[in-house]
Amino acid sequence: MAEMVLLSDTAVVETPVAECDECLVDLRTVGALRLDPRLADGEGAFAHVRLSVVDRLVTAQTLLPAGMRLLIVECYRPLTLQQEYFDSHKQRLRVIQPGHDEAWYHRRASRYISPPEVAPHVAGAAVDLTLCTADGVELWMGTQVNDTDSEACHTDSANVSAEAARNRRYLCDALTSVGMVNYPTEWWHWSYGDRYWAHVTGAPVARYGPVKSLPVRTGPVVPA
C-alpha cells in the first residue's frame, strides 16, 4: 500500500476541475449494458453516469471475450450518501483500530471509501462493475463487489484463484483500453474524467466535479 496514491492524497485533492457540464445518462435506458439491481435506490441515482463514461463502457464490452458482458452495479452517489459511507467507515476504524489521530483515520478510510469532496462517484465519473455471462450469470472475480474485508479485493492481489485472476485481466484490459482507470484497492472500481483519473493519466485538469442533482426524467425507463 505504501506506493499507492490514495484518493485522500494531496496530489489528488488539489487537482483542479474544469467542469465540462456533460450530462448524466440513466443506464436503465441503455439496452447495450446490463444493470444489476443490488444497490438500486428509489431515485435511480445508482444507474446514472456521465455520457463519456457510457460510451467507454459500451466500447469496452465489445473488447471482452465472446460470451462475457459487463455487469454494472453502481454509478452515481449523492454527496450526502458518500458522506454517510465515509463517516461510517471512519467510525468503524476508530473502533477496531483505536488510538490514532483524525488525519490517520481520514487517510486510512480513503483506501476503500473516497472522501466526499473528491469522490469519483459523486462526480458521476465512476462505475462499480463486474463480469457476467451473456445470460446474466455473475463470474467469479476473487471477492464479491464491495467486499473489502481482506486485501484479496486489491486489483493485483495474488491471493485469488487462477480463474478470478484471469477474469480480472479480461476486465482490466477492456476498461484500460478505453481510457478508464482503476482504483487499485478495489478491482471493481473504475472511473473516467474525475480528479483521480486526471492524476493517474497526467491530465492537467479533471473534466468532472461533483454533481449537484440528477437530471429530470423525460422518457420511459426500462426496469433494472
Side-chain angles (χ1 to χ4, degrees), residues 77-136:
R77 283 183 203 147
L79 181 62
T80 53
L81 181 58
Q82 187 72 27
Q83 186 74 58
E84 178 183 326
Y85 284 169
F86 191 67
D87 290 346
S88 177
H89 190 51
K90 281 202 296 185
Q91 183 56 35
R92 178 172 178 267
L93 289 171
R94 291 186 186 102
V95 171
I96 64 177
Q97 299 186 61
H100 299 280
D101 62 19
E102 182 60 23
W104 187 92
Y105 290 116
H106 187 88
R107 179 174 175 79
R108 188 77 173 185
S110 74
R111 286 189 177 194
Y112 299 119
I113 304 290
S114 175
E117 64 273 12
V118 296
H121 282 289
V122 173
V127 56
D128 293 341
L129 76 174
T130 186
L131 293 174
C132 67
T133 63
D135 56 359

Side-chain angles (χ1 to χ4, degrees), residues 19-125:
E19 175 59 58
C20 66
D21 293 323
E22 188 176 279
C23 68
L24 287 171
V25 174
D26 188 338
L27 291 183
R28 294 172 296 179
T29 67
V30 180
L33 296 171
R34 186 182 293 270
L35 189 61
D36 187 279
R38 74 188 75 172
L39 292 178
D41 60 284
E43 297 299 316
F46 83 109
H48 287 76
V49 71
R50 301 276 190 156
L51 176 61
S52 290
V53 180
V54 179
D55 291 342
R56 282 162 173 76
L57 292 173
V58 172
T59 301
Q61 186 163 259
T62 69
L63 303 176
L64 293 170
M68 286 188 184
R69 293 189 63 180
L70 299 176
L71 181 62
I72 313 300
V73 176
E74 186 181 21
C75 300
Y76 173 66
R77 283 183 203 147
L79 181 62
T80 53
L81 181 58
Q82 187 72 27
Q83 186 74 58
E84 178 183 326
Y85 284 169
F86 191 67
D87 290 346
S88 177
H89 190 51
K90 281 202 296 185
Q91 183 56 35
R92 178 172 178 267
L93 289 171
R94 291 186 186 102
V95 171
I96 64 177
Q97 299 186 61
H100 299 280
D101 62 19
E102 182 60 23
W104 187 92
Y105 290 116
H106 187 88
R107 179 174 175 79
R108 188 77 173 185
S110 74
R111 286 189 177 194
Y112 299 119
I113 304 290
S114 175
E117 64 273 12
V118 296
H121 282 289
V122 173

Side-chain angles (χ1 to χ4, degrees), residues 162-205:
E163 175 193 11
R166 182 175 62 252
N167 289 337
R168 289 187 187 189
R169 285 196 301 273
Y170 291 143
L171 185 67
C172 289
D173 288 349
L175 293 171
T176 300
S177 293
V178 297
M180 298 186 71
V181 302
N182 171 245
Y183 194 50
T185 65
E186 300 175 341
W187 60 261
W188 56 84
H189 178 99
W190 292 80
S191 68
Y192 169 81
D194 60 293
R195 285 184 172 101
Y196 195 80
W197 166 87
H199 174 77
V200 171
T201 63
V205 297

